[in-house]
Amino acid sequence: MNYSTHVATSLAAGTYLTTVTNVPFSVACLGGIVIGSLLPDIDEPNSFVGRRTFGLSKLIKKTFGHRGLTHSLLFWLLFSLLYYKFQNDFTLGLSLGYVFHIIGDFFSRQGVPLFFPFTKKKFRAPLTYKTGTVQERALLVVALVAFVYIVYRYKLFVTVF
Ligand SMILES: [Zn+2]
C-alpha cells in the first residue's frame, strides 16, 4: 500500500472511530494517526518514512525483512506502550494509525506476518486488493470520500478547534 492510501484509509477509520467511541476528533489525535499510519513501513528503505531514516530503515529490513517485525501485532503492542506511558491524544493517534496500517496491509494480497516472530506466516483478508493497482487507487478515493463524508455527517469540523 502506498503511503497516501495508508494515510487516507487510517484517517477514514480513525474518524469513524471518533463517532462510535471516546476517541477524540482533535488535531493531535489526527496528527498521531497520520504519523502512526506511516511508521510500520520504516522497514522498507524506499517507502515514504524509509527514505527519511538515515539508513536505519536498511538495517531493519536487513535484520527482519520488509513486512516483518514492524508489521506484527506484538510490535504494535510494544509501540503502544508509548500511549500507556504518556496518555494523550497524540500517542493515542499514533497507536491507532499504526494498527490501521497493519490492517490496511492485511487486506493486500501479500498479507502481513501478524504473529511475527512466533511465525513468519503472512495472513491476509479473504478479500484482498493488489498493491499499486487501480484497486488501490479506488481504495484511496473511497477512503477520502468516506473521511469527508463522516466529518460532514457528524459535523466534526466544529469540534476540532
Ligand atoms: Zn506496510
Side-chain angles (χ1 to χ4, degrees):
M1 208 185 237
N2 186 286
Y3 79 92
S4 48
T5 320
H6 273 303
V7 169
T9 51
S10 299
L11 272 179
T15 305
Y16 174 71
L17 261 195
T18 67
T19 67
V20 290
T21 64
N22 290 333
V23 173
F25 187 83
S26 65
V27 174
C29 188
L30 293 184
I33 288 177
V34 169
I35 295 170
S37 78
L38 294 171
L39 289 179
D41 279 346
I42 198 162
D43 64 4
E44 175 45 65
N46 292 320
S47 72
F48 184 79
V49 263
R51 280 183 269 125
R52 293 161 172 80
T53 57
F54 308 102
L56 172 68
S57 175
K58 275 199 188 109
L59 192 74
I60 298 175
K61 187 178 184 180
K62 230 171 124 184
T63 317
F64 303 106
H66 177 45
R67 286 203 181 183
L69 178 72
T70 62
H71 284 70
S72 68
L73 292 176
L74 178 71
F75 196 81
W76 171 57
L77 285 178
L78 290 176
F79 178 74
S80 298
L81 289 177
L82 200 66
Y83 172 63
Y84 184 73
K85 188 96 178 70
F86 309 98
Q87 298 199 359
N88 57 52
D89 287 9
F90 181 66
T91 53
L92 173 64
L94 280 179
S95 178
L96 286 174
Y98 201 101
V99 78
F100 290 150
H101 178 114
I102 295 177
I103 295 170
D105 283 350
F106 175 70
F107 279 92
S108 73
R109 199 161 292 174
Q110 299 101 304
V112 267
L114 291 177
F115 303 107
F116 190 94
F118 308 107
T119 167
K120 285 185 175 165
K121 184 176 161 29
K122 289 187 175 166
F123 295 85
R124 62 180 188 197
L127 195 70
T128 58
Y129 64 88
K130 209 170 160 198
T131 313
T133 61
V134 66
Q135 295 172 332
E136 180 172 342
R137 277 194 295 279
L139 205 61
L140 172 69
V141 173
V142 169
L144 286 175
V145 170
F147 171 67
V148 173
Y149 173 77
I150 299 166
V151 170
Y152 177 78
R153 164 83 172 70
Y154 291 92
K155 298 189 172 40
L156 295 172
F157 42 85
V158 205
T159 65
V160 189
F161 301 105

